[in-house]
Amino acid sequence: NVFKWADKRGHFEGRNPFAGQGRKEARGTGWRAYTTDELNKLFGSELFKTATPKERLHPAKHSFKSAMYWIPLIALYSGLRSNEICQLHKSDVQRKSGVWVFRVSGEGEGQHLKTEAATRIVPVHSEIIRCGFLDYLKALPDGQLFPALKPGGADDKRNWYLSKQFPAFRRRCGVEAPRVSFHSFRKNAAQALKNKRATPAEIAELIGHEQGFTLSTYAPMQLPLPSLKQLIERIEYPGLRLAHLHAG
């Protein structure tokens, strides 16, 4: 229905007033994860293949294109929602006890989270670091992690332009199958964790889902950072080719 459509595209937040009133959604109608072949088409596209290290790591001018070098990669290896990534500040990427992390919160200027459970610390995956993300971070001035992304849409979110442009990018890459979207990267991360026997509670903690009454009431604290780091490193995609993005 229209509320589900709006929620998936970031145009609506809050409880769907019609939830549970209609027929049960048929299986196979939600977003699905990308296949390995589809991921290779996306990350092996002209955008990524033709970019020089300087363009990716030290852009002379920040643009939507320079943001796109990182946003899909971060989503694939963290499970963060699109707006969670787009609204990050440089100061939200921190080193704690020797571990680089994304601090996901609604505390900063212009930052909004979907639910209370979305507030969390997510370690930066080694594959993101291998692609030169820390070099990009070091060269960045204080402020937004992706300075070219401006708030837009009815709810003034920074993923607004991404939500408009990503479908066209995906289709240019030859990924035109139904039931895929930017949200599919989040599905990939969750499935990769599940494949490595991560528990539902562990997956929920990393991707920012509610964990249910028992865990949220009796074990509300996030896992220790070393455990989170071990957990994020379980995300692997056999057959995904990213060597052309590795720095140095």
Side-chain angles (χ1 to χ4, degrees), residues 200-244:
E202 289 174 328
I203 296 171
E205 186 156 333
L206 267 187
I207 69 175
H209 269 179
E210 297 287 350
Q211 298 186 38
F213 173 80
T214 301
L215 282 173
S216 62
T217 301
Y218 292 98
M221 301 298 290
Q222 197 169 18
L223 286 170
L225 190 53
S227 299
L228 287 174
K229 179 60 174 173
Q230 291 176 6
L231 186 59
I232 202 76
E233 293 299 332
R234 293 194 212 176
I235 297 178
E236 293 180 345
Y237 301 103
L240 176 58
R241 298 184 294 273
L242 293 179
H244 56 291

Side-chain angles (χ1 to χ4, degrees), residues 52-63:
T52 66
K54 188 177 187 304
E55 287 175 323
R56 288 196 306 111
L57 308 181
H58 309 283
K61 182 179 180 181
H62 288 276
S63 63

Side-chain angles (χ1 to χ4, degrees), residues 2-29:
V2 68
F3 284 94
K4 288 183 180 179
W5 180 93
D7 181 53
K8 285 178 179 177
R9 289 157 179 80
H11 300 315
F12 172 78
E13 286 192 329
R15 183 180 181 277
N16 179 351
F18 299 105
Q21 301 302 312
R23 292 176 297 176
K24 188 173 181 180
E25 187 178 81
R27 294 186 65 183
T29 58

Side-chain angles (χ1 to χ4, degrees), residues 24-25 127 160 163 170 185 194 242 244:
K24 188 173 181 180
E25 187 178 81
E127 187 64 27
W160 179 79
S163 68
R170 172 175 57 77
F185 292 126
K194 184 178 180 181
L242 293 179
H244 56 291

Side-chain angles (χ1 to χ4, degrees), residues 1 8 27 37 59 80-81 85 99 105-106 115 124 131 149 160 172 183 187 189 222 225-226 232 235 246-247:
N1 62 35
K8 285 178 179 177
R27 294 186 65 183
D37 180 61
L80 266 66
R81 299 174 176 90
I85 301 171
V99 177
S105 79
T115 66
V124 181
C131 291
L149 301 183
W160 179 79
R172 286 196 302 272
H183 189 77
K187 295 278 190 177
Q222 197 169 18
L225 190 53
I232 202 76
I235 297 178
H246 292 170

Side-chain angles (χ1 to χ4, degrees), residues 101-112:
V101 301
F102 295 111
R103 182 186 65 179
V104 183
S105 79
E107 298 175 359
E109 181 180 354
Q111 293 183 328
H112 311 276

